[in-house]
Amino acid sequence: MYVVVHYAEIGLKGRNRPRFEERLRANLARSLRSLSEPRIRKLFGRILVQLPDHTDFEEVKRRIEKVFGVAYFSRVTLTRPELAEIEQAVDSYTKSRSFESFGVRVRRVEKTLPFTSNELERHLGQRIQQRTGARVELSRPDLWIVLHLLSREALLLHDRIPGPRGLPVGTAGQALSLISGGIDSPVAAHQMLKRGCTLSYVHFHSHPFTSTASQRKVRDLVAHLARYQGPVHLYAVPFGELQQTLVREAPSDPRIVLYRRFMLRIAEALAEREEARALVTGDSLGQVSSQTLGNLDTINRVATLPVLRPLVGLDKAEIVELAQHIGTFETSIEPDEDCCSYLMPSRPATWTRPDVIAAIERTLDVKGMVEASLAKVEQERIEPLDE
Ligand code: ATP
Ligand code: MG
């Protein structure tokens, strides 16, 4: 079985192009390897995947649909670029399909062949018409016959399946994603994977003061997201004791902002272990009190790495739609006890000032609190779901 993979955006990367292509090739190999034994090679601006004939194409499809950088892909019939072989391939392909109208498109990638694209289109069109009785139609036919002629191969493309687009994971650097078990953060992680980032994950939980539900959900979500990337690191940070300290020693209203500042500090320390160059959160401007500009600013002041917020301009409805599309929504809405609803203040501050919050923190042993949390961090390796 042959599958041809086309890529779009990475074609634009000039001198970096070979690096992007090589990464895409490696990512395709990784995602298919646990299914079958792929042989993968670059071929005139596309990638040709060869798999044993018995491989389940539906499963192949499910995997390639999660490889960022793929614009579209098709099963192909591979022949030599000679008329008799092409005719035979077209005959057996058209025999396997039912259609009343069709169109033929030939693209000559290699121009040394003895016929022009137009000549071949007309020739094949007449042949198919005679053999099947179907009519030629060039706008929205039931079936497109698409041929790409290379120097040593002719590719007959079957149905064109859209890929996830984006850039190959691993071409944009390493980031650490703060994942809560809610709807937004898995979508934020997905958006960064789509731009080529490799991710590690950190989750803050209040166990043993709350149940382990959020940790279980996060493991599921990370296993789901790992399908785009391969095995990943997940850090679980026990946060309950630090929260109790804040409840005892700091005013109640800005407590959520304080939680968030501590999360960023701890996340930065873990980012260093992972050699991550950015943090990722699921914040969306104004969605909840901790996401007003006044609070985002106060929270952000403790970070030295860029904090990427790919959902900042999206509405909740748009985020939910993405979560459903990615397949994380069902897990995200399972009930849990989020660490921020544990010891939630009764009137969360909606707009804080960095100097006021910094003054509060000067009364606390910030460094000691961060170090105590870091000492209890558990690191896990999460394998991709269903692989
Ligand atoms: P989400 O749906 O991702 O939980 P949210 O709408 O509930 O987001 P907040 O609870 O304010 O918003 O969280 C904002 C962001 O802060 C989250 O998207 C996530 O990146 C990070 N975050 C919040 N809680 C946690 C947590 N317990 N562990 C790790 N990151 C968290
Ligand atoms: Mg949340």
Side-chain angles (χ1 to χ4, degrees):
M1 176 195 300
Y2 290 96
V3 179
V4 70
V5 173
H6 285 254
Y7 40 91
E9 197 170 353
I10 63 172
L12 303 173
K13 295 285 168 186
R15 277 189 303 139
N16 281 327
R17 182 170 166 153
R19 187 169 68 84
F20 281 77
E21 288 174 329
E22 177 46 34
R23 176 53 75 167
L24 182 59
R25 197 195 63 72
N27 291 355
L28 283 165
R30 190 208 63 76
S31 82
L32 293 169
R33 207 175 293 130
S34 56
L35 174 68
S36 201
E37 271 169 50
R39 286 188 50 203
I40 304 184
R41 62 188 166 112
K42 283 189 281 179
L43 200 62
F44 291 94
R46 34 180 81 50
I47 290 177
L48 185 68
V49 181
Q50 183 182 0
L51 294 154
D53 281 337
H54 59 78
T55 313
D56 175 10
F57 183 67
E58 282 309 305
E59 192 59 35
V60 172
K61 186 169 162 241
R62 271 189 352 107
R63 288 169 192 242
I64 298 181
E65 280 171 342
K66 292 197 168 49
V67 178
F68 285 120
V70 175
Y72 69 93
F73 60 102
S74 303
R75 274 188 85 153
V76 292
T77 310
L78 185 81
T79 70
R80 284 184 298 170
E82 283 167 17
L83 191 57
E85 288 196 23
I86 293 171
E87 286 175 346
Q88 205 185 11
V90 169
D91 288 350
S92 70
Y93 179 56
T94 50
K95 240 183 246 154
S96 71
R97 306 292 301 244
S98 82
F99 57 98
E100 283 169 13
S101 60
F102 72 96
V104 183
R105 268 195 205 139
V106 175
R107 192 146 104 214
R108 275 194 322 163
V109 178
E110 183 56 59
K111 307 267 182 197
T112 56
L113 300 166
F115 32 72
T116 68
S117 307
N118 266 332
E119 282 164 4
L120 189 58
E121 282 173 356
R122 252 179 283 124
H123 172 77
L124 291 173
Q126 277 166 6
R127 184 183 173 93
I128 296 166
Q129 217 167 5
Q130 278 163 8
R131 298 192 158 220
T132 67
R135 63 179 191 284
V136 174
E137 192 176 306
L138 295 181
S139 64
R140 308 187 133 270
D142 294 342
L143 185 69
W144 274 116
I145 310 294
V146 180
L147 271 164
H148 290 180
L149 304 181
L150 316 178
S151 61
R152 286 200 297 273
E153 298 90 357
L155 305 174
L156 169 64
L157 279 67
H158 304 196
D159 299 311
R160 177 184 167 123
I161 304 163
R165 299 186 301 276
L167 298 170
V169 169
T171 56
Q174 177 81 28
L176 178 64
S177 172
L178 283 77
I179 187 158
S180 67
I183 296 168
D184 304 345
S185 37
V187 177
H190 178 269
Q191 296 308 92
M192 297 317 301
L193 290 164
K194 182 170 184 181
R195 296 311 300 161
C197 276
T198 313
L199 295 181
S200 311
Y201 296 85
V202 57
H203 173 61
F204 298 85
H205 65 83
S206 314
H207 185 72
F209 310 104
T210 60
S211 74
T212 53
S214 76
Q215 292 179 76
R216 201 167 17 81
K217 281 174 66 179
V218 164
R219 261 189 223 112
D220 285 355
L221 291 166
V222 169
H224 193 94
L225 292 163
R227 295 200 280 187
Y228 295 90
Q229 171 179 345
V232 294
H233 286 164
L234 167 63
Y235 293 92
V237 185
F239 204 52
E241 279 178 24
L242 187 149
Q243 290 179 283
Q244 289 178 347
T245 308
L246 288 174
V247 168
R248 265 195 326 269
E249 298 181 16
S252 134
D253 293 359
R255 202 181 285 158
I256 300 283
V257 171
L258 289 163
Y259 291 168
R260 283 288 139 75
R261 279 166 63 103
F262 277 94
M263 282 186 188
L264 284 192
R265 290 184 177 105
I266 294 165
E268 282 220 331
L270 297 172
E272 196 165 332
R273 289 190 205 172
E274 292 288 298
E275 296 183 36
R277 302 296 299 272
L279 303 177
V280 180
T281 73
D283 295 304
S284 147
L285 189 62
Q287 194 191 84
V288 292
S289 71
S290 56
Q291 297 171 18
T292 64
L293 211 45
N295 282 344
L296 282 179
D297 175 30
T298 304
I299 292 164
N300 211 60
R301 299 267 177 143
V302 302
T304 59
L305 288 175
V307 180
L308 304 176
R309 299 179 169 90
L311 310 185
V312 72
L314 298 188
D315 296 345
K316 193 71 186 188
E318 293 169 321
I319 299 170
V320 165
E321 205 175 298
L322 281 169
Q324 283 165 334
H325 178 71
I326 300 163
T328 51
F329 183 73
E330 292 303 321
T331 306
S332 288
I333 59 173
E334 285 170 21
D336 65 2
E337 298 172 84
D338 181 65
C339 73
C340 290
S341 35
Y342 171 65
L343 302 177
M344 177 91 171
S346 51
R347 285 171 297 132
T350 54
W351 198 275
T352 53
R353 285 181 34 186
D355 53 342
V356 173
I357 299 299
I360 294 170
E361 287 178 348
R362 277 195 291 277
T363 68
L364 304 167
D365 176 17
V366 171
K367 196 156 167 266
M369 289 162 76
V370 168
E371 274 164 14
S373 294
L374 283 170
K376 286 177 288 183
V377 169
E378 287 171 25
Q379 186 201 314
E380 228 182 298
R381 178 184 148 106
I382 306 280
E383 298 290 331
L385 188 69
D386 297 337
E387 276 187 17

